[in-house]
Structures are given as structure tokens and as C-alpha cells.
Amino acid sequence: MAGRLNAVLSFISHYKYLIVTIIGVLIIGFIDENSFLKRFQLELQIGDLKSEINKYTEQYEADSRQLNELKRHPKAIEKIARERYFMKADDEDIYVLSDDEKPIETNNEASE
């Protein structure tokens, strides 16, 4: 038993720097809160947030252009009311056309 213990202690004392380096890399790389895995997850999250920022910036610019158009031309308000909210003048009729396809009915009894 003492021989085994001496062999293990000899191995540890011979490779102590390598063992400490490997344990340090494992702690820093995988276990620590600033690990490489956490950093990778945060990089992915940053990429998603940047794409959201771009989307909202584009939406803001489009809305700003539309708001400026509404401020410059009062007829634009009437156009938006007609297109989006189906409002009409007293002497007009509105027809709403849909591009939705009707579902095809499959009736086995009719084909028999």
C-alpha cells in the first residue's frame, strides 16, 4: 500500500506543473463564470441583439418617413385611412378583394 502511495506522490511531484496547468485551463475554460462557453453564448446573444437593433432602426426610419409625409401632405392621411382602415367617403363603395385560396375539398363519397 505504501508503495502505491509513493508512486502516486512521485507522479504528482514529477508532473505538478502540468497538472496545475491542466486544472487551471479546465477551470477557466469551462467552469468559471467568464469561461469560453459563456463567452461564446454571449457572442451569439450580441449578434441576435444587433440584428434586432437593425430591424428596429429600419422600422423607425420607415415610420419617420411616413410621419413626415403625413405632415407635408394632408391627402396622405386620407390615403392611409382608405387603405388600412377601409374608410370611405359618403358617395363611395368599397370592394375588398382577397388573394386567399379556397381549400380544396376532398370528398371520397362524391368520387365513388
Side-chain angles (χ1 to χ4, degrees):
M1 187 74 174
R4 282 185 140 184
L5 184 61
N6 285 337
V8 170
L9 289 176
S10 173
F11 178 78
I12 290 175
S13 67
H14 190 305
Y15 295 108
K16 61 185 168 194
Y17 296 113
L18 180 63
I19 293 170
V20 169
T21 303
I22 290 172
I23 291 172
V25 167
L26 289 175
I27 289 173
I28 291 172
F30 299 102
I31 298 172
D32 189 35
E33 72 178 42
N34 296 323
S35 67
F36 296 118
L37 294 175
K38 185 73 170 179
R39 182 181 173 110
F40 182 71
Q41 290 171 348
L42 292 174
E43 290 291 331
L44 290 177
Q45 188 176 6
I46 286 171
D48 292 341
L49 292 174
K50 283 184 179 180
S51 66
E52 269 189 62
I53 287 171
N54 290 337
K55 180 181 82 169
Y56 287 126
T57 302
E58 291 172 2
Q59 183 179 355
Y60 171 75
E61 290 172 356
D63 291 342
S64 295
R65 284 191 301 269
Q66 187 175 16
L67 182 62
N68 287 335
E69 183 71 24
L70 291 174
K71 286 180 181 178
R72 276 191 242 131
H73 304 292
K75 291 286 185 182
I77 296 172
E78 183 178 333
K79 179 182 175 189
I80 290 174
R82 289 173 187 265
E83 289 176 357
R84 290 191 185 169
Y85 304 110
F86 304 114
M87 294 184 173
K88 65 179 186 84
D90 291 335
D91 59 344
E92 294 178 337
D93 292 328
I94 293 181
Y95 298 99
V96 179
L97 304 175
S98 176
D99 290 340
D100 296 339
E101 294 181 18
K102 294 181 181 177
I104 300 172
E105 294 182 18
T106 56
N107 191 352
N108 292 337
E109 295 174 6
S111 62
E112 290 180 3

